[in-house]
């Protein structure tokens, strides 16, 4: 009996591949949630409260840049080699972070760690896109998305336990054994599939201009929140420099032999719509992830532990919705109605959350955030699938990396915007501290309603191409012994 994959991979080989990819993904996924718990202790030890956000910022910046750059380099040198290099980079930089003696060293080493992290959150989805047919990959991408929910649920608890019992440096050293396991699994489980007709030409001009453009934009967004410390002219100057670098980047990509982000992708309407929807979905998800705990602690007076437990239903619903969405796509071969449904559900979620006040009971907060979690979970497999299905095998790597890139951009752009809305409301309000906090969070979710409405409108412009069952990679490229012969 053959197992249902494009070239009939034996079932035990599929289990091996998915285990290797999920452990590799877990290394990076745990980082966000563990660090959030440990960071207050880190700052207390290294003395750098004014630089509190910089270890997060440097990591997010380099990981976002590396998603695109190494997505393309994996086309040239093979997925397996780049993925292993990403894990090794992540592990070595984790050790360096653990031995940091001041906040500036930590910021530097976190930046290096972000390079590995960017590889780890994009390459597994590229590999799934290559080895499974369009219908099958939806199912497996939904399963892989559970890693993020697992990390979000267990990460804060694990971070607290490690920090309390072994010190904050332990949150970095724990990456070492997980990384070793991931490398071992990937070495044994994943063939280094190679694409045909890829020229080994590195787009240095594109890499440099892209890095400068994104770095200056990221820095401008970071310091724009404190006009007292940084003059407006410096912030505007950074934005103008970023814009000029983006223009040079676009010009470089039009001429590049192997562009890191080919401009021709944007001529495809499905890619453009998927990128926009991925960006909006990430922004909407983080509106709940960040501000539901703040509401529960700052308004309802819940403890940090209870606030974390309150988020579990949202994260569980996110996981379940991701798996079910993947299965539905796999069964039907269709996705447009699911995209429309996703933004309707997310819209309902943020509308409900915008009604929260000082009298809102905790169980309603759980219910509202769970609705948002369902919609957010649907996005995980959807936009990778829609974009991958619109291109051939040669473009799967950069297309998948690009969708992940725009998801990160959604976080980079809108998390500061939400912060500005909160700060502006708090500064201008004459209400009590608690009432002002309620009003500011309500305003954030009102802004989220607008984003959800935009996402819903854009969804109707998504062109649907039924998902096929053809193999993205020829059987000859699969190592001997991996294919289960049909009886």
């Amino acid at each position: 009996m053959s197992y249902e994959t494009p070239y009939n991979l034996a079932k035990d080989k599929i289990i091996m591949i998915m285990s290797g990819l999920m452990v590799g993904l877990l290394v990076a996924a745990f980082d966000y949630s563990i660090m959030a718990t440990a960071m207050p202790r880190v700052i207390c030890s290294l003395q750098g409260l004014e630089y509190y956000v910089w270890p997060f910022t440097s990591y997010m910046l380099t990981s976002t840049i590396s998603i695109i750059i190494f997505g393309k380099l994996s086309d040239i040198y093979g997925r397996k080699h780049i993925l292993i290099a990403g894990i090794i980079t992540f592990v070595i930089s984790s050790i360096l972070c653990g031995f940091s003696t001041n906040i500036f060293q930590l910021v530097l080493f976190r930046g290096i760690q972000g390079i590995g992290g960017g590889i780890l959150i994009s390459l597994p989805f590229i590999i799934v896109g290559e080895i499974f047919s369009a219908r099958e990959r939806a199912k497996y991408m939904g399963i892989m998305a559970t890693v993020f929910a697992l990390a979000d649920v267990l990460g804060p608890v694990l971070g607290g336990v490690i920090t309390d019992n072994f010190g904050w440096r332990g949150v970095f050293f724990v990456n070492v054994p997980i990384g070793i396991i991931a490398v071992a699994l990937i070495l044994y489980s994943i063939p280094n599939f190679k694409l045909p007709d890829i020229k080994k030409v590195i787009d240095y001009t594109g890499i440099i201009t892209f890095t400068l453009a994104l770095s200056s934009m990221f820095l401008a967004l970071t310091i724009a929140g404190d006009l007292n410390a940084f003059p407006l002219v410096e912030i505007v100057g950074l934005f103008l420099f970023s814009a000029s670098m983006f223009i040079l980047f676009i010009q470089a990509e039009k001429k590049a032999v192997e562009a890191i982000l080919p401009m021709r992708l944007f001529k495809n309407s499905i890619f453009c719509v998927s990128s926009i929807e991925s960006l909006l979905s990430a922004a909407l998800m983080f509106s709940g992830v960040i501000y539901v705990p703040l509401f529960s602690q700052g308004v309802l007076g819940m403890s940090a532990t209870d606030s974390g437990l309150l988020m579990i239903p949202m994260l569980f619903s996110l996981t379940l919705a991701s798996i079910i969405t993947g299965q539905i796509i796999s069964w039907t071969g269709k996705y447009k109605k699911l995209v429309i449904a996703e933004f309707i559900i997310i819209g309902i979620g943020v509308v409900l959350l915008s009604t929260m006040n000082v009298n809102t009971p905790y169980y309603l907060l759980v219910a509202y955030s769970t609705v948002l979690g369902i919609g957010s979970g649907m996005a995980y497999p959807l936009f990778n699938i829609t974009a991958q299905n619109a291109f051939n095998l040669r473009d799967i790597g950069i297309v998948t990396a690009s969708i992940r890139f725009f998801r990160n951009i959604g976080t980079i752009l809108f998390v500061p915007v939400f912060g500005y809305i909160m700060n502006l409301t708090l500064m201008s309000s004459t209400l009590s501290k608690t009432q002002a906090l309620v009003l500011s969070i309500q305003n954030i979710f009102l802004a989220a309603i607008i984003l959800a409405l935009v996402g819903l409108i854009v969804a109707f412009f998504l062109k649907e191409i039924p998902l096929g069952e053809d193999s993205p990679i020829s059987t000859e490229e699969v190592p001997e012994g991996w294919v289960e012969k049909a009886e």
Side-chain angles (χ1 to χ4, degrees):
M1 179 72 95
S2 63
Y3 191 73
E4 187 184 2
T5 62
Y7 38 73
N8 296 328
L9 280 180
K11 186 174 183 178
D12 61 329
K13 301 301 182 185
I14 291 178
I15 294 173
M16 286 166 48
I17 289 173
M18 291 300 295
S19 297
L21 293 177
M22 291 177 75
V23 173
L25 190 61
L26 188 65
V27 175
F30 260 127
D31 180 81
Y32 292 95
S33 51
I34 289 180
M35 274 300 296
T37 305
M39 201 60 200
R41 194 75 61 86
V42 174
I43 292 298
C44 182
S45 173
L46 298 182
Q47 302 297 316
L49 183 60
E50 65 271 30
Y51 302 104
Y52 186 86
V53 300
W54 284 89
F56 294 102
T57 301
S58 63
Y59 182 96
M60 179 63 76
L61 171 62
T62 55
S63 65
T64 302
I65 293 172
S66 70
I67 286 172
I68 291 292
I69 293 175
F70 288 96
K72 183 60 184 180
L73 291 179
S74 70
D75 285 346
I76 298 173
Y77 299 107
R79 316 298 183 202
K80 182 176 182 177
H81 295 159
I82 296 296
L83 184 56
I84 291 174
I87 297 173
I88 293 172
T89 300
F90 194 91
V91 169
I92 292 175
S93 56
S94 294
I95 295 172
L96 293 173
C97 287
F99 284 115
S100 296
T101 57
N102 59 63
I103 191 66
F104 300 107
Q105 288 183 2
L106 181 63
V107 170
L108 173 62
F109 297 144
R110 282 284 289 170
I112 299 172
Q113 190 182 37
I115 296 173
I119 295 171
L120 293 179
I121 62 173
S122 61
L123 263 291
F125 292 98
I126 294 174
I127 293 172
V128 167
E130 285 189 323
I131 64 177
F132 296 110
S133 69
R135 285 199 179 195
E136 284 294 288
R137 72 173 69 123
K139 176 170 62 178
Y140 290 108
M141 283 188 182
I143 293 172
M144 283 181 60
T146 64
V147 170
F148 292 102
L150 177 67
D152 287 338
V153 172
L154 297 182
V157 177
L158 184 60
V161 170
I162 293 173
T163 303
D164 290 340
N165 292 281
F166 304 101
W168 65 265
R169 299 179 191 275
V171 302
F172 294 107
F173 297 144
V174 76
N175 292 327
V176 177
I178 300 176
I180 292 172
I181 293 171
V183 169
L185 283 170
I186 289 167
L187 276 172
Y188 182 64
S189 67
I190 301 173
N192 192 40
F193 298 115
K194 293 184 178 180
L195 303 183
D197 305 323
I198 295 292
K199 295 181 177 66
K200 291 190 176 182
V201 178
I202 298 177
D203 179 18
Y204 292 107
T205 304
I207 290 173
I208 292 170
T209 52
F210 179 75
T211 302
L212 290 174
L214 206 61
S215 299
S216 52
M217 183 189 75
F218 211 107
L219 182 60
L221 288 170
T222 301
I223 67 176
D226 191 356
L227 293 177
N228 294 323
F230 300 95
L232 182 61
V233 65
E234 292 184 8
I235 298 170
V236 173
L238 283 170
F239 277 121
L240 290 175
F241 177 75
S242 175
S244 65
M245 287 298 103
F246 271 119
I247 292 171
L248 291 176
F249 170 69
I250 292 170
Q251 292 175 345
E253 295 308 274
K254 290 179 179 179
K255 300 175 183 178
V257 176
E258 289 289 348
I260 62 170
L261 182 57
M263 293 297 105
R264 59 183 169 78
L265 299 183
F266 295 96
K267 295 179 181 179
N268 185 299
S269 65
I270 295 177
F271 176 80
C272 292
V273 170
S274 298
S275 299
I276 294 169
E277 298 292 63
S278 184
L279 183 153
L280 293 172
S281 295
L284 288 163
M285 183 186 77
F286 273 93
S287 70
V289 169
I290 295 173
Y291 292 103
V292 167
L294 179 61
F295 183 89
S296 63
Q297 294 179 51
V299 177
L300 300 185
M302 299 176 68
S303 67
T305 301
D306 289 341
S307 176
L309 292 173
L310 182 144
M311 293 297 291
I312 291 178
M314 174 184 175
L315 297 169
F316 179 76
S317 66
L318 188 152
T319 303
L320 194 61
S322 177
I323 295 174
I324 293 174
T325 300
Q327 293 286 352
I328 292 173
I329 297 173
S330 180
W331 292 333
T332 65
K334 303 289 183 68
Y335 51 76
K336 182 171 182 175
K337 290 180 180 179
L338 288 170
V339 175
I340 294 171
E342 179 219 341
F343 279 98
I344 290 175
I345 294 171
I346 285 181
I348 293 171
V350 292
V351 166
L352 292 172
L353 288 167
S354 71
T355 66
M356 296 186 302
N357 55 60
V358 292
N359 298 316
T360 300
Y362 74 91
Y363 63 84
L364 281 183
L365 192 57
V366 170
Y368 297 165
S369 59
T370 297
V371 174
L372 179 60
I374 293 171
S376 299
M378 293 175 69
Y380 272 106
L382 267 174
F383 301 115
N384 278 326
I385 295 302
T386 57
Q388 287 178 347
N389 193 51
F391 294 89
N392 58 29
L393 175 62
R394 192 185 196 280
D395 291 321
I396 277 184
I398 191 59
V399 166
T400 307
S402 297
I403 295 300
R404 182 70 216 190
F405 167 77
F406 282 109
R407 186 171 180 82
N408 272 29
I409 290 295
T411 305
I412 292 170
L413 290 178
F414 285 101
V415 168
V417 169
F418 293 148
Y420 300 152
I421 292 172
M422 166 167 280
N423 292 336
L424 184 62
T425 306
L426 291 174
M427 287 188 296
S428 60
S429 176
T430 58
L431 301 172
S432 66
K433 183 178 180 180
T434 300
Q435 290 286 2
L437 181 60
V438 170
L439 180 61
S440 66
I441 294 176
Q442 287 176 339
N443 287 342
I444 287 168
F445 285 114
L446 287 174
I449 292 172
I450 297 174
L451 295 181
L453 181 60
V454 171
L456 179 60
I457 294 171
V458 172
F460 286 98
F461 292 93
L462 180 63
K463 180 181 177 182
E464 184 164 60
I465 302 175
L467 276 64
E469 299 180 358
D470 295 333
S471 169
I473 296 178
S474 65
T475 306
E476 286 74 16
E477 293 178 78
V478 184
E480 185 179 352
W482 284 64
V483 176
E484 184 175 276
K485 300 186 186 301
E487 294 179 356

